[in-house]
Amino acid sequence: MKQSSFSFSVILLFLLHCTTTLAQPAAAPAVPAGPTAAPPPGPIVTLNPPPIGAPIPSGPLNVTRILEQAGRFTLFIRLLKATTVIEQIEHQLNNTNGRMTIFAPTDSAFSTLSSGTLNSLTDPQKESLIQFHVLSSYIAQSQFQTASNPLRTNAGDNSRYRYQLNATSYSNSINISTGITNASVSAVIYSDGQLAVYQVDKVLLPWEIFGSKPPATAPAPAPLAPALAPGKPKKVKPTPIAVSPDNDDTTKVDASGAASLMTMQNVVFFFAVMVAPIIFS
């Protein structure tokens, strides 16, 4: 009897276990592994600028370290070092207490360039490209509203078709235009009153390197001679004709006539002298 009860209990527990297992929902099928999502951007270092007139914080500024802390400027850092522009920047900041503004394109911005764009540039062109992202003046975020365009970059001539860079400030954004590229300032990486580093979402391409050359200016036409008024013929100045006295027949005729007249006058005078005494005697 006890053995039968024990067997019955075992069967009952088995049935209850099966019922519980069937009542649970089936496990979801495994999702195949796909491309991993991009990691979130690194922290943005943002420092409030000191009040106007306050001394600039002491200590050397290290632009490379600032960009490395932001975590998404690998290609820009590489070009800064390869062109030695980073040395010029840090010399100007730390040895001359100069003020600077840097527009730093992200790695994503470089990835939007056409394949081979950077490799097709000469070393001087690469240096000019990076210098085009650097200004030898400090521009705070609020100062873009009153900044004078075109901005003068370290690339040099900021005239049209050369290295022209214009900044337009809106209520909550800043647009940077080169005539080829329209970029936006998407973050303030660093700002301390001496150095400002802004993140831009596109590489700033100068017209001098990437634009088509402007058409050559045609020479000015030669001035036309003034037109004569209708009905008024052009006056022609007579040309004097030189006449040789030795060969001029007219001159000879005039001289002969004058000699004959003098001879006639002498004859008449002589006749009058001879005849007068006879008449009055």
Side-chain angles (χ1 to χ4, degrees):
M1 182 67 179
K2 291 181 179 181
Q3 186 176 2
S4 299
S5 299
F6 176 77
S7 301
F8 179 76
S9 299
V10 172
I11 294 173
L12 182 61
L13 290 174
F14 176 76
L15 292 174
L16 290 174
H17 175 74
C18 293
T19 304
T20 303
T21 302
L22 293 174
Q24 293 178 351
V31 179
T36 58
I44 297 176
V45 181
T46 305
L47 301 179
N48 294 324
I52 297 176
I56 298 173
S58 60
L61 284 168
N62 191 322
V63 175
T64 303
R65 185 182 304 167
I66 292 173
L67 293 172
E68 288 174 346
Q69 288 179 352
R72 51 191 172 278
F73 299 98
T74 304
L75 290 175
F76 188 58
I77 294 173
R78 186 184 306 168
L79 287 171
L80 282 170
K81 292 180 178 179
T83 58
T84 69
V85 173
I86 190 63
E87 298 176 6
Q88 301 173 25
I89 292 174
E90 295 185 348
H91 172 79
Q92 184 172 343
L93 289 171
N94 299 315
N95 296 351
T96 65
N97 291 327
R99 299 173 184 267
M100 307 195 76
T101 300
I102 300 175
F103 297 107
T106 62
D107 293 336
S108 298
F110 279 99
S111 67
T112 62
L113 295 176
S114 301
S115 178
T117 297
L118 295 179
N119 292 334
S120 65
L121 302 179
T122 63
D123 290 342
Q125 287 176 330
K126 290 178 182 178
E127 180 174 355
S128 296
L129 173 63
I130 301 304
Q131 295 281 24
F132 191 54
H133 292 72
V134 181
L135 281 64
S136 290
S137 60
Y138 172 80
I139 304 180
Q141 186 175 359
S142 59
Q143 293 175 331
F144 281 102
Q145 297 177 354
T146 57
S148 178
N149 285 318
L151 304 177
R152 189 166 191 85
T153 71
N154 285 7
D157 188 352
N158 62 348
S159 61
R160 190 180 181 189
Y161 302 121
R162 296 300 303 275
Y163 294 96
Q164 190 176 83
L165 189 71
N166 296 306
T168 306
S169 178
Y170 300 97
S171 58
N172 58 353
S173 63
I174 300 172
N175 178 262
I176 307 295
S177 175
T178 71
I180 296 178
T181 305
N182 288 316
S184 297
V185 174
S186 50
V188 180
I189 303 300
Y190 185 89
S191 180
D192 66 353
Q194 181 188 11
L195 170 67
V197 182
Y198 297 101
Q199 173 181 307
V200 289
D201 59 354
K202 291 183 181 178
V203 180
L204 306 178
L205 303 179
W207 193 285
E208 172 68 15
I209 299 176
F210 297 94
S212 56
K213 299 302 178 185
T217 305
L224 299 176
L228 296 175
K232 292 184 178 180
K234 184 178 179 181
K235 295 181 180 180
V236 180
K237 185 177 180 180
T239 303
I241 301 175
V243 179
S244 175
D246 298 336
N247 299 325
D248 187 4
D249 295 338
T250 303
T251 304
K252 292 180 180 181
V253 172
D254 292 343
S256 299
S260 299
L261 179 61
M262 291 179 65
T263 303
M264 183 62 67
Q265 288 177 347
N266 292 334
V267 171
V268 171
F269 177 78
F270 178 77
F271 181 76
V273 172
M274 295 297 294
V275 175
I278 300 174
I279 295 175
F280 294 103
S281 58

